[in-house]
């Protein structure tokens, strides 16, 4: 870990001298008419992670038992292609890969990672942004701004993934085939989505068997999913070019809002009764949140968020997840770990479940004598407080603290992040909290 910190400090010193001399990069944008109101644009993003991790008990990395590990990976590598091709018609595509490290698909083919994330067309019905109707493969959703985050502008090193409630279960990395309406009317910003979810059997993993103890996504039947999201903006309106929502504007806008969102899918989950009958349950999620992102004196800025989530996947649903997991297996079994809930090894922890979650984050862009975003620092902290039914009286509390060094705003930045996460064990049939484990990660983001 000491070498890891020395590496970060060295990179910080190196880039600080370059930041003041690097000119602002022009967007890769093609004008389709003389005024530029019609255009087509291409962007590229890469987020490389260098991470030291305390592994969960019993973790195996490529056949070897390891308590700690160091890995290098691509958390996200993306290409966006989008544009206003007529006065009212907008198109958007995104292609890329996620969570690509040495352990990616370790027993299969590592070359299958890239795929289309988004492919949609949108028509603006009204004169302004009052009503847009679109459809295709899209991340647009209800529940929360973090259910559809613009990952190139996030403040923390990673998003609160639990807000993407069905990620890689009945969607394609949070994207679904959908039709939607969205718009901005006065202080209001709204979106309504009707989605056609994928079957759980096509997510590339063996679905867990139906259980009498907890629900899982049903492997039979099919139903559409409805989602909605409503925001009240007190000052400026948020960006509305794509359905993605900005993480932090770094003082470029004065945003203060409150929002409510939800998702509903009938008979999305199933469970076996004591008598052996198949029981179906609805999936229902709702969230209330507030987001503040405002400029302050001396070119400083404050970004803060708090949200309450009630996530209902049915009786006792719980799922472990670890971002870009550095491990491949575990020596634990059902007698001493929570079985049937996803991988319990590496950096995984209970991320999704039936219960309630409070998530909050706050960051402060430090003052500067210069007005641009080169050579700037932004410390942040975030916390997730979850109470999932399957874990009984045990809470799931995760903390992150970090520092962004903006070489040139979001286009080029370093982020150092420390995370503390919980572990759990089964003792005599009861779930008990284990030791807390940590990870230290360095991210280098480039984005044009």
């Amino acid at each position: 870990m000491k070498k890891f910190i020395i590496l970060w400090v060295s990179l910080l010193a190196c880039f600080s001298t370059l930041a003041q001399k690097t000119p602002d990069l022009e967007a890769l944008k093609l004008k389709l008419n003389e005024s530029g109101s019609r255009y087509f644009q291409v962007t590229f993003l890469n987020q490389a992670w260098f991470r030291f991790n305390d592994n969960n008990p019993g973790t195996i990395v490529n056949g070897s038992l390891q308590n700690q590990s160091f890995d290098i990976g691509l958390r996200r590598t993306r290409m966006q292609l989008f544009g206003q091709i007529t006065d009212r018609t907008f198109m958007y595509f995104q292609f890329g890969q996620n969570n690509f490290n040495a352990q990616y698909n370790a027993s299969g083919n590592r070359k299958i990672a890239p795929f289309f994330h988004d492919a949609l067309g949108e028509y603006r019905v009204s004169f302004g942004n009052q009503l847009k109707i679109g459809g295709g493969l899209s991340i647009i959703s209800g529940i929360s701004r973090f259910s559809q985050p613009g990952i190139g502008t996030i403040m923390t090193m990673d998003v609160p993934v639990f807000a993407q409630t069905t990620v890689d279960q009945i969607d394609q990395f949070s994207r679904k085939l959908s039709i939607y309406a969205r718009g901005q009317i006065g202080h209001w910003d709204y979106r309504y989505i009707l989605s056609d979810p994928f079957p759980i059997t096509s997510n590339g993993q063996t679905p867990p068997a139906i259980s009498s103890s907890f629900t899982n996504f049903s492997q039979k039947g099919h139903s559409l999913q409805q989602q909605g999201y409503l925001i009240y903006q007190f000052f400026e309106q948020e960006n509305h070019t794509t359905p993605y929502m900005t993480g932090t504007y770094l003082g470029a806008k004065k945003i203060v809002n409150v929002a409510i969102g939800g998702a509903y899918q009938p008979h999305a989950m199933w469970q076996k009764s004591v008598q052996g009958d198949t029981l179906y349950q609805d999936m229902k999620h709702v969230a209330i949140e507030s987001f503040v992102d405002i400029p302050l004196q001396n070119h400083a800025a404050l970004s803060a968020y708090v949200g309450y989530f009630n996530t209902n996947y049915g009786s006792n649903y719980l799922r472990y997840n670890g971002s870009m997991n550095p491990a491949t297996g575990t020596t634990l079994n059902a007698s001493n770990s929570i079985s049937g809930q996803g991988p319990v090894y590496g950096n995984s922890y209970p991320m999704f479940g039936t219960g309630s979650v409070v998530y909050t984050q706050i960051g402060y862009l430090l003052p500067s004598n210069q007005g641009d975003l080169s050579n700037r620092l932004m410390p942040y902290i975030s916390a997730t407080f979850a109470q999932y039914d399957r874990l009984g009286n045990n809470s799931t509390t995760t903390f992150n603290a970090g520092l962004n060094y903006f070489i040139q705003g979001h286009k080029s930045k370093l982020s150092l992040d420390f995370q503390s996460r919980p572990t759990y064990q089964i003792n005599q049939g009861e779930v008990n909290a284990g030791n807390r484990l940590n990870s230290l990660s360095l991210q280098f983001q480039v984005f044009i």
Side-chain angles (χ1 to χ4, degrees), residues 111 142 194 233 293 295 319 398 415 430:
K111 298 188 290 292
L194 183 65
Q233 309 276 2
D293 203 89
R319 181 160 72 96
T398 307
S415 301
E430 293 188 1

Side-chain angles (χ1 to χ4, degrees), residues 50 70 136 212 318 327 337:
F50 313 89
F70 175 81
S212 60
L318 186 73
S337 68

Side-chain angles (χ1 to χ4, degrees), residues 39 82 90 122 132 182 239-243:
Y39 66 92
F82 61 94
F90 176 80
E122 183 179 88
K132 300 176 180 179
R182 68 185 184 110
N239 291 341
H240 212 261
T241 303
T242 74

Side-chain angles (χ1 to χ4, degrees), residues 331-381:
T331 61
L332 301 182
N333 54 51
S335 65
N336 51 15
S337 68
I338 302 176
S339 63
Q341 314 300 323
V344 297
Y345 50 79
N347 64 339
S348 295
Y349 63 93
M351 192 175 289
F352 310 91
T354 294
S356 59
V357 184
V358 173
Y359 174 76
T360 186
Q361 65 177 37
I362 186 169
Y364 178 59
L365 181 65
L366 298 182
S368 173
N369 293 328
Q370 56 191 36
D372 62 18
L373 291 172
S374 62
N375 200 20
R376 301 289 298 275
L377 293 173
M378 186 177 196
Y380 66 82
I381 57 174

Side-chain angles (χ1 to χ4, degrees), residues 1-11 416 440 442:
M1 186 177 292
K2 184 181 296 183
K3 293 180 179 179
F4 192 90
I5 296 174
I6 292 173
L7 171 64
W8 188 86
V9 173
S10 300
L11 287 171
L416 184 67
L440 184 65
L442 173 67

Side-chain angles (χ1 to χ4, degrees), residues 1 31 67 89 146-147 149 167 181 188 345 357 396-397 422 431:
M1 186 177 292
K31 290 184 178 182
N67 295 326
T89 304
F146 289 116
S147 304
V167 61
W188 296 97
Y345 50 79
V357 184
T396 297
T397 305
V431 180

